[in-house]
Short mmCIF file of all heavy atoms in Angstrom, two decimals:
data_model
loop_
_atom_site.label_atom_id
_atom_site.label_comp_id
_atom_site.label_asym_id
_atom_site.label_seq_id
_atom_site.Cartn_x
_atom_site.Cartn_y
_atom_site.Cartn_z
N ALA A 1 -18.63 20.84 -70.40
CA ALA A 1 -18.69 22.31 -70.36
C ALA A 1 -17.87 22.91 -71.49
O ALA A 1 -18.31 23.87 -72.15
CB ALA A 1 -18.21 22.81 -69.01
N ASN A 2 -16.69 22.36 -71.74
CA ASN A 2 -15.84 22.88 -72.82
C ASN A 2 -16.47 22.62 -74.18
O ASN A 2 -16.34 23.44 -75.10
CB ASN A 2 -14.46 22.22 -72.76
CG ASN A 2 -13.68 22.62 -71.53
OD1 ASN A 2 -13.88 23.72 -70.99
ND2 ASN A 2 -12.79 21.76 -71.08
N ALA A 3 -17.17 21.49 -74.34
CA ALA A 3 -17.81 21.20 -75.62
C ALA A 3 -19.02 22.09 -75.86
O ALA A 3 -19.28 22.52 -76.99
CB ALA A 3 -18.21 19.73 -75.66
N LEU A 4 -19.77 22.39 -74.80
CA LEU A 4 -20.94 23.24 -74.94
C LEU A 4 -20.56 24.70 -75.15
O LEU A 4 -21.20 25.43 -75.92
CB LEU A 4 -21.82 23.11 -73.70
CG LEU A 4 -22.61 21.80 -73.55
CD1 LEU A 4 -23.24 21.75 -72.16
CD2 LEU A 4 -23.69 21.68 -74.63
N PHE A 5 -19.49 25.13 -74.45
CA PHE A 5 -19.09 26.54 -74.50
C PHE A 5 -17.62 26.65 -74.87
O PHE A 5 -16.75 26.91 -74.03
CB PHE A 5 -19.36 27.20 -73.15
CG PHE A 5 -20.74 26.95 -72.62
CD1 PHE A 5 -20.96 26.07 -71.56
CD2 PHE A 5 -21.85 27.57 -73.18
CE1 PHE A 5 -22.22 25.83 -71.07
CE2 PHE A 5 -23.13 27.33 -72.71
CZ PHE A 5 -23.32 26.46 -71.66
N PRO A 6 -17.29 26.41 -76.14
CA PRO A 6 -15.88 26.45 -76.56
C PRO A 6 -15.26 27.83 -76.46
O PRO A 6 -14.03 27.96 -76.54
CB PRO A 6 -15.94 25.97 -78.02
CG PRO A 6 -17.34 26.25 -78.46
CD PRO A 6 -18.20 26.08 -77.26
N ASP A 7 -16.07 28.87 -76.27
CA ASP A 7 -15.52 30.22 -76.14
C ASP A 7 -14.95 30.48 -74.75
O ASP A 7 -14.42 31.56 -74.49
CB ASP A 7 -16.58 31.26 -76.47
CG ASP A 7 -17.84 31.10 -75.64
OD1 ASP A 7 -17.88 30.19 -74.77
OD2 ASP A 7 -18.79 31.87 -75.84
N GLY A 8 -15.07 29.50 -73.85
CA GLY A 8 -14.46 29.63 -72.53
C GLY A 8 -15.30 30.36 -71.50
O GLY A 8 -14.79 30.64 -70.41
N ARG A 9 -16.55 30.64 -71.79
CA ARG A 9 -17.39 31.35 -70.82
C ARG A 9 -17.66 30.48 -69.60
O ARG A 9 -17.56 29.25 -69.65
CB ARG A 9 -18.70 31.77 -71.47
CG ARG A 9 -19.71 30.65 -71.60
CD ARG A 9 -21.01 31.08 -72.25
NE ARG A 9 -20.89 31.12 -73.71
CZ ARG A 9 -21.92 31.25 -74.51
NH1 ARG A 9 -23.15 31.37 -74.00
NH2 ARG A 9 -21.75 31.28 -75.81
N ASN A 10 -17.99 31.08 -68.51
CA ASN A 10 -18.29 30.37 -67.28
C ASN A 10 -19.60 29.60 -67.46
O ASN A 10 -20.65 30.20 -67.72
CB ASN A 10 -18.42 31.36 -66.11
CG ASN A 10 -18.66 30.65 -64.79
OD1 ASN A 10 -18.64 29.43 -64.71
ND2 ASN A 10 -18.88 31.42 -63.74
N PRO A 11 -19.59 28.27 -67.32
CA PRO A 11 -20.82 27.50 -67.57
C PRO A 11 -21.87 27.64 -66.47
O PRO A 11 -23.04 27.33 -66.71
CB PRO A 11 -20.30 26.06 -67.67
CG PRO A 11 -19.05 26.05 -66.86
CD PRO A 11 -18.44 27.41 -67.02
N ILE A 12 -21.46 28.07 -65.29
CA ILE A 12 -22.42 28.17 -64.18
C ILE A 12 -23.48 29.21 -64.52
O ILE A 12 -23.18 30.36 -64.86
CB ILE A 12 -21.71 28.55 -62.87
CG1 ILE A 12 -20.61 27.53 -62.55
CG2 ILE A 12 -22.72 28.61 -61.73
CD1 ILE A 12 -21.09 26.11 -62.41
N GLY A 13 -24.74 28.79 -64.44
CA GLY A 13 -25.86 29.68 -64.77
C GLY A 13 -26.28 29.61 -66.22
O GLY A 13 -27.36 30.12 -66.57
N GLN A 14 -25.46 29.00 -67.09
CA GLN A 14 -25.84 28.85 -68.49
C GLN A 14 -26.92 27.78 -68.62
O GLN A 14 -27.05 26.90 -67.76
CB GLN A 14 -24.62 28.48 -69.34
CG GLN A 14 -23.47 29.46 -69.26
CD GLN A 14 -23.81 30.81 -69.88
OE1 GLN A 14 -24.68 30.89 -70.76
NE2 GLN A 14 -23.14 31.86 -69.42
N ARG A 15 -27.65 27.85 -69.72
CA ARG A 15 -28.74 26.91 -69.94
C ARG A 15 -28.50 26.11 -71.22
O ARG A 15 -27.91 26.63 -72.18
CB ARG A 15 -30.08 27.64 -70.01
CG ARG A 15 -30.41 28.41 -68.74
CD ARG A 15 -31.87 28.82 -68.69
NE ARG A 15 -32.23 29.69 -69.81
CZ ARG A 15 -33.47 30.16 -70.03
NH1 ARG A 15 -34.45 29.82 -69.18
NH2 ARG A 15 -33.74 30.94 -71.05
N VAL A 16 -28.97 24.86 -71.19
CA VAL A 16 -28.81 23.98 -72.35
C VAL A 16 -30.16 23.31 -72.64
O VAL A 16 -30.94 23.02 -71.72
CB VAL A 16 -27.73 22.90 -72.12
CG1 VAL A 16 -26.36 23.54 -71.97
CG2 VAL A 16 -28.05 22.05 -70.91
N HIS A 17 -30.41 23.10 -73.93
CA HIS A 17 -31.60 22.36 -74.35
C HIS A 17 -31.34 20.88 -74.21
O HIS A 17 -30.26 20.37 -74.54
CB HIS A 17 -31.97 22.70 -75.79
CG HIS A 17 -32.37 24.12 -76.00
ND1 HIS A 17 -33.65 24.57 -75.74
CD2 HIS A 17 -31.67 25.20 -76.46
CE1 HIS A 17 -33.72 25.87 -76.03
NE2 HIS A 17 -32.53 26.27 -76.47
N PHE A 18 -32.33 20.15 -73.75
CA PHE A 18 -32.22 18.71 -73.55
C PHE A 18 -32.73 17.99 -74.79
O PHE A 18 -33.93 17.84 -74.98
CB PHE A 18 -33.02 18.30 -72.31
CG PHE A 18 -32.93 16.83 -71.99
CD1 PHE A 18 -31.72 16.16 -72.04
CD2 PHE A 18 -34.06 16.11 -71.62
CE1 PHE A 18 -31.63 14.81 -71.73
CE2 PHE A 18 -34.00 14.76 -71.31
CZ PHE A 18 -32.78 14.11 -71.37
N GLY A 19 -31.82 17.58 -75.67
CA GLY A 19 -32.19 16.84 -76.87
C GLY A 19 -31.95 17.63 -78.13
O GLY A 19 -30.98 17.39 -78.85
N VAL A 20 -32.79 18.59 -78.44
CA VAL A 20 -32.72 19.38 -79.67
C VAL A 20 -32.85 20.85 -79.31
O VAL A 20 -33.25 21.21 -78.19
CB VAL A 20 -33.83 18.96 -80.66
CG1 VAL A 20 -33.61 17.53 -81.14
CG2 VAL A 20 -35.20 19.11 -80.03
N PRO A 21 -32.50 21.77 -80.25
CA PRO A 21 -32.55 23.20 -79.93
C PRO A 21 -33.92 23.72 -79.53
O PRO A 21 -34.01 24.82 -78.97
CB PRO A 21 -32.06 23.85 -81.24
CG PRO A 21 -31.23 22.81 -81.90
CD PRO A 21 -31.88 21.51 -81.56
N THR A 22 -34.98 22.97 -79.80
CA THR A 22 -36.31 23.44 -79.44
C THR A 22 -36.83 22.82 -78.14
O THR A 22 -37.94 23.15 -77.71
CB THR A 22 -37.30 23.13 -80.59
OG1 THR A 22 -37.29 21.73 -80.85
CG2 THR A 22 -36.90 23.88 -81.85
N ALA A 23 -36.05 21.92 -77.53
CA ALA A 23 -36.51 21.25 -76.32
C ALA A 23 -36.38 22.18 -75.11
O ALA A 23 -35.81 23.28 -75.19
CB ALA A 23 -35.69 19.98 -76.08
N TYR A 24 -36.92 21.70 -73.97
CA TYR A 24 -36.91 22.57 -72.79
C TYR A 24 -35.49 22.71 -72.24
O TYR A 24 -34.59 21.94 -72.57
CB TYR A 24 -37.88 22.04 -71.73
CG TYR A 24 -37.40 20.86 -70.93
CD1 TYR A 24 -36.82 21.05 -69.69
CD2 TYR A 24 -37.58 19.57 -71.41
CE1 TYR A 24 -36.38 19.97 -68.95
CE2 TYR A 24 -37.16 18.48 -70.66
CZ TYR A 24 -36.56 18.68 -69.43
OH TYR A 24 -36.14 17.62 -68.70
N LEU A 25 -35.31 23.70 -71.37
CA LEU A 25 -33.97 24.11 -70.94
C LEU A 25 -33.62 23.56 -69.57
O LEU A 25 -34.47 23.43 -68.68
CB LEU A 25 -33.88 25.64 -70.92
CG LEU A 25 -33.91 26.32 -72.29
CD1 LEU A 25 -34.15 27.81 -72.13
CD2 LEU A 25 -32.59 26.08 -73.02
N LEU A 26 -32.33 23.24 -69.40
CA LEU A 26 -31.75 22.84 -68.13
C LEU A 26 -30.69 23.86 -67.74
O LEU A 26 -29.90 24.30 -68.58
CB LEU A 26 -31.10 21.45 -68.24
CG LEU A 26 -31.97 20.31 -68.76
CD1 LEU A 26 -31.11 19.07 -69.04
CD2 LEU A 26 -33.06 19.98 -67.75
N THR A 27 -30.67 24.24 -66.47
CA THR A 27 -29.69 25.22 -65.98
C THR A 27 -28.51 24.50 -65.34
O THR A 27 -28.69 23.61 -64.50
CB THR A 27 -30.34 26.16 -64.97
OG1 THR A 27 -31.44 26.84 -65.59
CG2 THR A 27 -29.33 27.19 -64.47
N ILE A 28 -27.32 24.89 -65.71
CA ILE A 28 -26.10 24.28 -65.15
C ILE A 28 -25.79 24.96 -63.82
O ILE A 28 -25.60 26.19 -63.76
CB ILE A 28 -24.92 24.43 -66.12
CG1 ILE A 28 -25.22 23.72 -67.44
CG2 ILE A 28 -23.64 23.88 -65.49
CD1 ILE A 28 -24.16 23.91 -68.51
N VAL A 29 -25.71 24.15 -62.74
CA VAL A 29 -25.43 24.72 -61.42
C VAL A 29 -24.08 24.26 -60.89
O VAL A 29 -23.60 24.78 -59.87
CB VAL A 29 -26.52 24.34 -60.41
CG1 VAL A 29 -27.87 24.90 -60.85
CG2 VAL A 29 -26.61 22.82 -60.23
N GLY A 30 -23.44 23.29 -61.54
CA GLY A 30 -22.16 22.80 -61.05
C GLY A 30 -21.37 22.13 -62.15
O GLY A 30 -21.93 21.66 -63.15
N VAL A 31 -20.05 22.10 -61.97
CA VAL A 31 -19.14 21.43 -62.91
C VAL A 31 -18.31 20.41 -62.12
O VAL A 31 -17.67 20.76 -61.12
CB VAL A 31 -18.20 22.42 -63.61
CG1 VAL A 31 -17.22 21.68 -64.53
CG2 VAL A 31 -19.00 23.45 -64.41
N LEU A 32 -18.35 19.15 -62.57
CA LEU A 32 -17.60 18.08 -61.94
C LEU A 32 -16.41 17.67 -62.81
O LEU A 32 -16.42 17.89 -64.03
CB LEU A 32 -18.49 16.85 -61.72
CG LEU A 32 -19.68 17.03 -60.77
CD1 LEU A 32 -20.51 15.75 -60.76
CD2 LEU A 32 -19.21 17.36 -59.37
N ALA A 33 -15.41 17.08 -62.19
CA ALA A 33 -14.27 16.57 -62.95
C ALA A 33 -14.71 15.39 -63.82
O ALA A 33 -15.67 14.69 -63.49
CB ALA A 33 -13.15 16.14 -62.00
N ASP A 34 -14.02 15.18 -64.93
CA ASP A 34 -14.35 14.07 -65.84
C ASP A 34 -14.13 12.73 -65.15
O ASP A 34 -13.24 12.58 -64.30
CB ASP A 34 -13.47 14.13 -67.09
CG ASP A 34 -13.76 15.36 -67.94
OD1 ASP A 34 -14.80 15.99 -67.73
OD2 ASP A 34 -12.93 15.67 -68.82
N ILE A 35 -14.92 11.77 -65.55
CA ILE A 35 -14.68 10.39 -65.14
C ILE A 35 -14.71 9.51 -66.38
O ILE A 35 -15.22 9.90 -67.43
CB ILE A 35 -15.73 9.88 -64.12
CG1 ILE A 35 -17.11 9.75 -64.80
CG2 ILE A 35 -15.81 10.78 -62.91
CD1 ILE A 35 -18.12 8.99 -63.96
N ARG A 36 -14.13 8.32 -66.26
CA ARG A 36 -14.21 7.31 -67.32
C ARG A 36 -15.53 6.58 -67.12
O ARG A 36 -15.70 5.87 -66.14
CB ARG A 36 -13.04 6.36 -67.23
CG ARG A 36 -11.70 7.04 -67.43
CD ARG A 36 -11.43 7.29 -68.89
NE ARG A 36 -10.27 8.15 -69.08
CZ ARG A 36 -9.74 8.42 -70.26
NH1 ARG A 36 -10.28 7.90 -71.35
NH2 ARG A 36 -8.71 9.22 -70.37
N ASP A 37 -16.44 6.74 -68.05
CA ASP A 37 -17.79 6.27 -67.84
C ASP A 37 -18.12 5.03 -68.67
O ASP A 37 -18.53 4.01 -68.15
CB ASP A 37 -18.78 7.39 -68.17
CG ASP A 37 -20.12 7.21 -67.47
OD1 ASP A 37 -20.29 6.17 -66.83
OD2 ASP A 37 -20.97 8.10 -67.56
N GLY A 38 -17.93 5.12 -69.98
CA GLY A 38 -18.28 4.00 -70.84
C GLY A 38 -17.23 2.91 -70.82
O GLY A 38 -17.50 1.75 -70.56
N SER A 39 -15.97 3.27 -71.10
CA SER A 39 -14.84 2.35 -71.03
C SER A 39 -13.59 3.18 -70.79
O SER A 39 -13.59 4.39 -71.00
CB SER A 39 -14.71 1.53 -72.32
OG SER A 39 -14.38 2.37 -73.40
N LEU A 40 -12.53 2.52 -70.39
CA LEU A 40 -11.33 3.27 -70.05
C LEU A 40 -10.73 3.99 -71.25
O LEU A 40 -10.32 5.14 -71.16
CB LEU A 40 -10.29 2.32 -69.44
CG LEU A 40 -10.55 1.87 -68.00
CD1 LEU A 40 -9.46 0.90 -67.56
CD2 LEU A 40 -10.60 3.06 -67.06
N GLU A 41 -10.67 3.31 -72.40
CA GLU A 41 -9.96 3.89 -73.53
C GLU A 41 -10.83 4.71 -74.46
O GLU A 41 -10.31 5.53 -75.21
CB GLU A 41 -9.24 2.80 -74.32
CG GLU A 41 -10.17 1.80 -75.02
CD GLU A 41 -10.51 0.64 -74.14
OE1 GLU A 41 -10.59 0.82 -72.91
OE2 GLU A 41 -10.72 -0.45 -74.68
#
């Protein structure tokens, strides 16, 4: 959320393109805490 909206706006309800700026839109309905996904470091 911080990377998509560095201006600090509320991400809930915002939309993002999936892939490139011309791709279809996904609506953000929730924000989860970060997890270590690929590797710990």
Side-chain angles (χ1 to χ4, degrees):
N2 293 332
L4 287 171
F5 310 106
D7 55 2
R9 79 180 81 168
N10 183 5
I12 304 301
Q14 303 293 334
R15 300 195 300 177
V16 295
H17 295 277
F18 182 44
V20 294
T22 57
Y24 77 96
L25 291 166
L26 305 170
T27 301
I28 299 175
V29 298
V31 177
L32 297 176
D34 294 345
I35 69 168
R36 298 281 170 173
D37 203 355
S39 66
L40 285 178
E41 66 271 32

